[in-house]
Amino acid sequence: MSSPAAERIASKNKGKESMPMAVEQAVVVPVQKRKRSVSRSPAPPSPHRRRLSPPRGPRYDLPPRGPRNDARHDRPAVPDVDLARARERERQLAEQMEKRAEEPEKKPFDAKAEFERLMETRAGGTYVPPARLRALQAQFTDKNTKEYQRMHWEALKKSINGLINKVNTSNIKMIIPELFGENLVRGRGLYARSIMKAQAASLPFTPILTALTAVVNTKLPQVGELLLTRLIVQFRKAFKRNDKSVCLSSTTFIAHLCNQAVAHEIVALQILSLLLERPTDDSVEVAVGFMREVGAYLAEVSPKANNGVFDRFRAILHEGQIDKRVQYMIEVLFQVRKDKYKDHPIIPEGLDLVEEEDQITHYISLDDELDVQEGLGVFKFDPEFEENEERYKEIKAEILGDSDEESGSDDEDESDEEEIEGAAVVDEAKRQEIQDQTNTNLVNLRRTIYLTIMSSVDYEECCHKLMRINIPEGQQIELANMIVECCSQERTYSRFYGLMGERFCKLNRMWTDTFQSAFQTYYETIHRYESNKLRNIAKFFGHLLSTEAIGWHVLSCIHLNEDETTSSSRIFIKILFQDLQESLGLNALKAVMADPMLEECFGGLFPRDDSRNTRFAINYFTSIGLGAVTEGLREWLKTNPTMRVPFGPALDLKVTPIPANAGHSPYYAALALSNFLTKSNRPRSTLLLTGAGVSVDSGIPDYRGPTGTYRVNKSYRPIFFSEFTEKHTSRQRYWSRSFLGYPPVQRARPNDIHKRVAGLWRHGHLSQVITQNVDGLHTAATPDVPTLELHGSLHRVLCLSCGGHIHRQEFQEELKMLNPEWAELLRMNETELQINPDGDVQLPKERKPDGDTQTEKSYEHFRYPACKKCDAAKTDADGAWVEGGGILKPSVIFFGEQVPESHKTAAEKAVEEADRIFVIGSSLATYSAFRLIRAAKEAGKSVAVMNWGGPIRGEGEILKEEEGDLRIPLKAGVVLAEVESMLMEKSWTEKVAEAAEAVAAKL
């Protein structure tokens, strides 16, 4: 009995006449189905059911047609459904086989070519998966191949970077042996670059990295020398391009290298001299940071130089030219010095790893010609690679010794101590607060602020969201900076940011101070921004100023002159003021600029210290269409004389006689002065301070008088100390001018003023004479009068290397011998040369070959001798200086040079011992003299000033009639003659009165 399934299959096969014979003869095996329920009968076969698809399997070539007698083919064969497709596949397969047979054989894998292809790119190589890299490296086993050495170089770079970035206080002793395990002789350039990048990225780690370098320097001094050289060169470049951040990082590193005795203290003093020579806000800020790190060391090894640095800081603070913020930093530095640098030790605890006898100090100067050896950071093929590696292994073995063997025995001996100290260390670690040295929290805060600003619809929503951010104390400035930075990133200025800043400033006074501080910071660093960002920043702060969200006093940080502005800062000021004009209107802006309450704040914008700066400011505002705001500056320029002061703030140009009748006649002035000199009964109680005006009648002009050099010669500029010491051409220019100018100074003789001063001394009124002049006429007139030449003497020449002195006349003869052409010029023009106060002259004119124009005589071939007492200089056959040390300088104080400490101490002592100060022929423009008068006034002493033809510095500050001070704007010679006669007469009458009193007492 057949099953229903078999019947269905059989019924289907009946209608298939085209079915092959093999299928018709197939035997169908009945399938055992799962038993169904008795109640359900099997379904009848349906003719509409889907036909079964042929079985799927691998496609084989069609078997030959016809009967098969092989027993393997007894099972039913399944034919291909589409014979045409099968034949097409066979044809395609045959074509592929033919193509493969025709293809040339592939070249074997060339590992060398593949490695060169990957490595010879601009970036130094592309990313290679580790497995593929290992396969490439496995191909190179010969150490004398370029490929092997390149792989070794990359591994050395990676290892040095990893060790430097991993070092800290706790593991530095473990890192040092690992670092010496790498070839630091080959990789010293990599070491220097890596450690400089690590230090610049994280300044708090500078002491640790310096300690690491100090240890390496004791064994491999060429590594420490290379690092110091690159740091000095980096500082010089950053200083020239006004990059404050790089200057800060470089000086911090150099300071700690000095502390570790890797660098000599002379480089620290040179850096401080350079930064403080012409102080600006940035240079003083860098110098303060540098002094904070190296001050304790300088106080220990060079106390005199340290005191001189702090005197310069004090002078800068008193001059008041720098920003209030920087002044506060100087005051904090003085407090740090007073606290003996308790928070800034020379070497922090745990980092004193080098014994004093092992220290190697490099004597590298800031002025040396340095080679940074850039090629040490680039891979180069070494034909003696294996020999050099063996040599370093010997060096490493000598450095590290048998540390591994010794460590085993040491571990056993110290194990007990470690167990005892372990518990204490754990407790201490628990008490220590974790500090984020990676700035992760700061980065997250900035990201949060940025995303909040970018996701806000309007400024009110943004301010509301930002106020809900938990900003740590002291990091409010980050919010202001992020707002300004986001504003700068826009294509054009968006008022959204200005409204946001305005809202914050009007919410709390703290935010006002924050944005005001941000204004000063961005103005100081505005040169780092491109034009579009600069424009947006200027418009942002213009909005805050026009809405009075921040105070107008923030403009005090702007000093509008040719020297203190850059192209970027001038564009910033232009856009800022044009935006203010659009917002406020020209009349309202003029009213703000003319506000007397803000006049001091706008002193930098509208300078009155120098007519050159004043004209620059007027021309600038006129060029940007705001000439109307300079009307007051134009009036001032018309009514005030020109006065040039190398150092110090603007002078008070009012000349008011004190008392009023002192300016009417020499008699009244002499009467007031004689009373001033005889105020007390104590003899020799008046200190005399003289200036260049005293020597005018001797044929030596002054600086700022009616016929002074600054007024007659508008282009005159005295030489600065740094110029003289740094440039050979500057010394040629000075000595050529001084060679022509010294004979008139040598021939000058004391005049009546010098003689009257000698008379005052003989009558017992003067205690001492302090003179700013360098002509030596006071000493020539009165050799017995105690005279302090504050600024030195032209009649002596000293060596900057050995400190030896020679007389100027001897030096003059040597100049004459070395320069016969100039000696003839001096003989021909001696009576026509115009001498300057410092003993040089304006070089005579000579006609050019074209016959039309005249120029200053060239000093290109002028020669000057070197010091004969020391061997520091290299000279030619005639003894003229060529290079090196042994530079001779006149024994005078140049502009920018510090007054010797002995002179300052003696002058201060003289002021302290005197009852009053008498000044003749000085405008007190130089700070070295002005500070003495200020000290006298602070001590409650009275001051008399007799200066003809111009104002004096700080007149309103130091001269007050109610305190007994005098101001006499008359020629000193005439007045002193009257004074001498009055004092002689007074002394005679006093003697008669004393005799009468003696007779009365006897009776």
Side-chain angles (χ1 to χ4, degrees):
M1 182 176 177
S2 62
S3 65
E7 294 177 357
R8 286 197 298 272
I9 294 174
S11 63
K12 290 181 181 179
N13 292 337
K14 289 179 181 179
K16 298 179 180 178
E17 298 177 356
S18 62
M19 184 68 67
M21 185 62 66
V23 179
E24 292 177 358
Q25 295 175 356
V27 179
V28 179
V29 181
V31 180
Q32 296 294 330
K33 302 289 285 185
R34 183 168 57 91
K35 290 184 179 181
R36 298 181 181 271
S37 175
V38 180
S39 61
R40 295 182 61 184
S41 60
S46 175
H48 303 289
R49 288 211 174 186
R50 187 176 58 176
R51 298 171 59 187
L52 296 175
S53 60
R56 296 187 180 184
R59 302 287 186 175
Y60 300 99
D61 292 340
L62 291 176
R65 301 290 180 177
R68 297 181 183 178
N69 299 325
D70 195 344
R72 291 179 300 173
H73 298 286
D74 292 342
R75 64 178 182 271
V78 181
D80 198 312
V81 177
D82 192 345
L83 297 177
R85 293 178 61 187
R87 294 188 186 95
E88 179 64 21
R89 283 196 297 273
E90 290 177 1
R91 188 186 63 78
Q92 293 177 355
L93 180 60
E95 289 181 357
Q96 292 178 3
M97 296 301 292
E98 290 177 1
K99 289 181 180 179
R100 290 179 183 176
E102 294 175 358
E103 288 180 358
E105 294 184 1
K106 288 186 177 180
K107 295 181 180 180
F109 176 70
D110 189 352
K112 181 177 180 180
E114 180 68 9
F115 186 81
E116 289 182 355
R117 185 184 68 82
L118 293 175
M119 291 301 174
E120 290 181 357
T121 61
R122 185 179 180 184
T126 57
Y127 171 74
V128 183
R132 187 179 181 188
L133 182 61
R134 285 193 296 271
L136 288 174
Q137 292 173 347
Q139 304 293 325
F140 306 117
T141 56
D142 186 2
K143 295 183 179 180
N144 291 322
T145 60
K146 180 179 179 181
E147 293 74 20
Y148 180 88
Q149 293 184 19
R150 178 59 181 263
M151 290 189 299
H152 184 273
W153 175 266
E154 295 296 331
L156 178 64
K157 181 196 299 184
K158 182 177 180 182
S159 178
I160 292 176
N161 282 338
L163 291 173
I164 290 176
N165 291 329
K166 190 168 59 175
V167 68
N168 55 49
T169 307
S170 60
N171 67 1
I172 186 171
K173 294 182 180 179
M174 295 180 286
I175 292 293
I176 289 172
E178 295 183 31
L179 191 60
F180 278 119
E182 304 296 335
N183 192 339
L184 288 181
V185 176
R186 183 185 302 276
R188 59 187 183 274
L190 300 176
Y191 174 85
R193 181 171 61 184
S194 178
I195 203 167
M196 288 173 66
K197 290 177 65 177
Q199 186 267 344
S202 184
L203 294 182
F205 277 82
T206 304
I208 302 171
L209 299 175
T210 308
L212 180 66
T213 301
V215 176
V216 173
N217 183 69
T218 58
K219 306 300 181 183
L220 301 172
Q222 64 268 38
V223 178
E225 183 180 10
L226 176 64
L227 175 61
L228 180 59
T229 299
R230 291 190 175 184
L231 284 171
I232 292 175
V233 172
Q234 177 178 272
F235 167 74
R236 293 194 308 204
K237 291 180 179 179
F239 182 79
K240 288 181 180 179
R241 62 174 181 260
N242 296 327
D243 192 341
K244 185 172 71 173
S245 60
V246 177
C247 283
L248 282 172
S249 63
S250 302
T251 52
T252 303
F253 210 156
I254 293 174
H256 285 280
L257 288 176
C258 293
N259 292 342
Q260 290 280 2
V262 176
H264 196 266
E265 64 268 16
I266 188 66
V267 69
L269 296 175
Q270 287 178 329
I271 290 174
L272 288 168
S273 176
L274 177 64
L275 292 172
L276 300 179
E277 179 185 2
R278 298 179 182 178
T280 62
D281 290 348
D282 286 347
S283 67
V284 174
E285 183 177 347
V286 173
V288 168
F290 182 64
M291 199 62 189
R292 189 182 291 115
E293 302 294 340
V294 80
Y297 178 74
L298 290 180
E300 181 178 315
V301 301
S302 184
K304 288 187 177 181
N306 184 61
N307 293 335
V309 171
F310 276 97
D311 286 342
R312 182 58 181 151
F313 275 121
R314 189 178 291 108
I316 293 172
L317 193 62
H318 288 172
E319 289 168 6
Q321 289 185 332
I322 58 176
D323 187 63
K324 296 293 183 183
R325 177 183 61 85
V326 184
Q327 292 182 16
Y328 176 73
M329 293 178 66
I330 296 178
E331 293 173 358
V332 172
L333 177 62
F334 275 95
Q335 184 61 40
V336 170
R337 182 196 188 193
K338 185 177 181 181
D339 296 339
K340 298 182 179 180
Y341 302 94
K342 63 179 181 180
D343 295 328
H344 302 276
I346 298 177
I347 300 178
E349 185 179 357
L351 297 179
D352 192 2
L353 306 176
V354 181
E355 298 293 337
E356 187 174 354
E357 59 271 12
D358 295 334
Q359 293 171 341
I360 299 177
T361 304
H362 300 286
Y363 295 83
I364 301 178
S365 171
L366 195 64
D367 304 326
D368 293 343
E369 293 184 3
L370 303 176
D371 181 13
V372 296
Q373 304 181 48
E374 291 289 351
L376 293 178
V378 181
F379 167 72
K380 294 179 181 178
F381 175 72
D382 184 7
E384 300 178 355
F385 178 80
E386 293 188 45
E387 292 82 353
N388 292 335
E389 288 296 317
E390 290 298 326
R391 290 174 190 166
Y392 185 76
K393 286 182 180 179
E394 296 175 2
I395 296 173
K396 180 177 69 174
E398 183 180 350
I399 293 173
L400 299 179
D402 297 330
S403 58
D404 296 338
E405 297 178 3
E406 294 175 358
S407 62
S409 59
D410 293 342
D411 291 342
E412 295 178 1
D413 297 336
E414 298 177 358
S415 59
D416 296 336
E417 297 180 5
E418 292 179 357
E419 292 178 0
I420 296 173
E421 296 175 357
V425 172
V426 171
D427 294 340
E428 181 66 22
K430 290 180 180 179
R431 289 195 298 269
Q432 288 180 353
E433 182 181 358
I434 298 176
Q435 297 182 356
D436 180 20
Q437 298 288 350
T438 61
N439 290 332
T440 303
N441 295 337
L442 182 60
V443 172
N444 291 335
L445 175 62
R446 291 173 178 171
R447 182 185 296 112
T448 303
I449 295 173
Y450 174 77
L451 294 176
T452 303
I453 294 175
M454 292 295 105
S455 63
S456 300
V457 177
D458 57 12
Y459 77 95
E460 292 181 341
E461 176 191 350
C462 186
C463 292
H464 179 71
K465 289 180 180 179
L466 292 175
M467 288 299 295
R468 299 183 64 180
I469 297 176
N470 184 19
I471 300 178
E473 185 67 27
Q475 293 188 356
Q476 289 84 0
I477 189 66
E478 296 298 332
L479 175 61
N481 290 340
M482 284 304 299
I483 292 176
V484 179
E485 290 294 333
C486 291
C487 176
S488 69
Q489 298 294 330
E490 299 288 342
R491 288 181 177 271
T492 58
Y493 171 70
S494 174
R495 198 163 177 264
F496 166 82
Y497 297 100
L499 294 171
M500 192 192 317
E502 178 188 354
R503 173 62 62 89
F504 271 102
C505 290
K506 292 182 177 180
L507 280 174
N508 194 313
R509 177 66 185 176
M510 180 267 296
W511 291 113
T512 304
D513 297 338
T514 301
F515 278 93
Q516 289 175 169
S517 176
F519 177 87
Q520 298 180 7
T521 302
Y522 276 96
Y523 177 73
E524 293 168 359
T525 59
I526 199 64
H527 58 276
R528 303 178 186 174
Y529 294 89
E530 59 186 23
S531 299
N532 187 61
K533 294 182 179 181
L534 184 151
R535 180 180 299 276
N536 290 346
I537 295 173
K539 285 182 172 291
F540 173 82
F541 285 111
H543 177 93
L544 296 187
L545 284 169
S546 62
T547 57
E548 298 186 353
I550 60 176
W552 289 90
H553 65 275
V554 298
L555 299 179
S556 60
C557 66
I558 300 177
H559 298 278
L560 190 56
N561 56 65
E562 190 174 1
D563 298 328
E564 297 183 65
T565 56
T566 62
S567 58
S568 297
S569 61
R570 292 167 196 162
I571 295 173
F572 175 84
I573 299 170
K574 171 187 174 183
I575 299 171
L576 176 68
F577 272 85
Q578 287 178 346
D579 186 77
L580 290 172
Q581 181 189 9
E582 293 176 4
S583 303
L584 301 176
L586 183 58
N587 293 332
L589 182 60
K590 284 175 56 180
V592 173
M593 297 293 107
D595 190 346
M597 298 295 292
L598 297 171
E599 183 178 358
E600 183 178 355
C601 301
F602 298 150
L605 273 173
F606 306 106
R608 289 177 168 85
D609 57 342
D610 192 339
S611 59
R612 175 171 170 265
N613 296 338
T614 303
R615 292 188 177 91
F616 179 86
I618 293 173
N619 294 336
Y620 175 82
F621 279 108
T622 304
S623 65
I624 64 174
L626 292 174
V629 300
T630 63
E631 292 177 355
L633 208 57
R634 296 172 190 269
E635 292 298 325
W636 181 89
L637 191 61
K638 292 178 182 178
T639 58
N640 289 272
T642 301
M643 173 164 282
R644 292 167 57 190
V645 183
F647 298 98
L651 299 185
D652 184 1
L653 300 182
K654 298 177 180 179
V655 182
T656 304
I658 301 177
N661 60 357
H664 296 312
S665 69
Y667 174 80
Y668 289 109
L671 183 62
L673 187 56
S674 61
N675 291 331
F676 174 84
L677 295 173
T678 56
K679 280 185 179 180
S680 64
N681 296 324
R682 190 168 71 92
R684 304 199 184 283
S685 57
T686 302
L687 173 65
L688 178 64
L689 175 65
T690 64
V694 172
S695 300
V696 172
D697 292 343
S698 297
I700 302 176
D702 59 0
Y703 284 103
R704 302 169 184 86
T707 59
T709 301
Y710 281 155
R711 297 199 180 195
V712 174
N713 184 4
K714 300 294 184 181
S715 62
Y716 175 74
R717 178 181 176 274
I719 190 170
F720 282 76
F721 179 69
S722 59
E723 295 176 330
F724 186 89
T725 56
E726 293 175 2
K727 298 179 181 179
H728 171 60
T729 54
S730 297
R731 293 192 290 273
Q732 287 180 302
R733 179 177 183 270
Y734 175 81
W735 283 125
S736 63
R737 294 159 62 102
S738 182
F739 172 72
L740 301 177
Y742 179 68
V745 175
Q746 190 181 27
R747 292 192 302 268
R749 293 293 177 263
N751 56 45
D752 286 343
I753 299 178
H754 298 101
K755 297 174 183 177
R756 302 299 178 190
V757 169
L760 293 176
W761 160 260
R762 286 192 298 269
H763 289 92
H765 295 289
L766 300 182
S767 61
Q768 187 177 348
V769 176
I770 299 177
T771 181
Q772 303 175 71
N773 299 338
V774 295
D775 49 32
L777 293 180
H778 273 296
T779 306
T782 54
D784 54 337
V785 178
T787 303
L788 173 62
E789 293 177 324
L790 190 63
H791 293 160
S793 172
L794 273 174
H795 301 292
R796 294 187 300 274
V797 179
L798 63 88
C799 174
L800 295 178
S801 297
C802 66
H805 286 77
I806 61 174
H807 196 274
R808 175 56 195 272
Q809 183 57 37
E810 178 184 348
F811 185 79
Q812 187 79 0
E813 294 298 326
E814 294 184 14
L815 289 176
K816 188 181 297 183
M817 181 187 67
L818 291 174
N819 304 278
E821 179 185 351
W822 286 79
E824 181 64 19
L825 178 67
L826 176 61
R827 188 183 67 81
M828 298 291 293
N829 300 276
E830 190 168 356
T831 58
E832 301 177 5
L833 296 173
Q834 180 64 40
I835 189 174
N836 291 324
D838 51 3
D840 64 357
V841 297
Q842 196 73 21
L843 292 180
K845 301 291 184 179
E846 63 179 5
R847 191 172 298 278
K848 279 190 174 182
D850 58 12
D852 294 333
T853 58
Q854 290 185 343
T855 60
E856 188 178 71
K857 180 173 176 58
S858 173
Y859 49 83
E860 180 180 357
H861 301 293
F862 190 88
R863 299 191 297 169
Y864 54 90
C867 178
K868 298 179 180 179
K869 298 181 180 180
C870 62
D871 299 329
K874 180 180 178 181
T875 61
D876 60 12
D878 297 330
W881 186 91
V882 176
E883 62 180 359
I887 297 173
L888 292 174
K889 167 187 171 294
S891 186
V892 299
I893 305 301
F894 285 169
F895 285 101
E897 185 180 1
Q898 294 292 326
V899 175
E901 190 67 27
S902 58
H903 286 39
K904 292 168 62 176
T905 304
E908 292 171 355
K909 183 179 179 181
V911 171
E912 183 180 353
E913 293 176 351
D915 292 342
R916 65 196 67 85
I917 312 296
F918 180 26
V919 181
I920 302 178
S922 175
S923 63
L924 304 177
T926 56
Y927 187 73
S928 56
F930 181 71
R931 61 188 291 272
L932 298 177
I933 305 303
R934 178 183 286 179
K937 292 302 297 181
E938 290 176 353
K941 305 177 190 295
S942 54
V943 176
V945 179
M946 184 160 53
N947 185 50
W948 175 68
I952 64 172
R953 179 177 182 175
E955 184 171 335
E957 175 187 352
I958 63 175
L959 297 180
K960 298 179 180 178
E961 186 173 0
E962 61 272 15
E963 296 180 4
D965 299 330
L966 294 181
R967 171 68 168 101
I968 303 173
L970 297 174
K971 289 188 175 182
V974 179
V975 177
L976 287 179
E978 292 283 350
V979 170
E980 187 175 9
S981 62
M982 290 181 181
L983 292 178
M984 291 179 62
E985 180 180 354
K986 187 172 184 179
S987 60
W988 173 254
T989 56
E990 287 177 351
K991 289 179 181 179
V992 173
E994 290 175 0
E997 290 178 0
V999 172
K1002 290 180 179 180
L1003 295 176

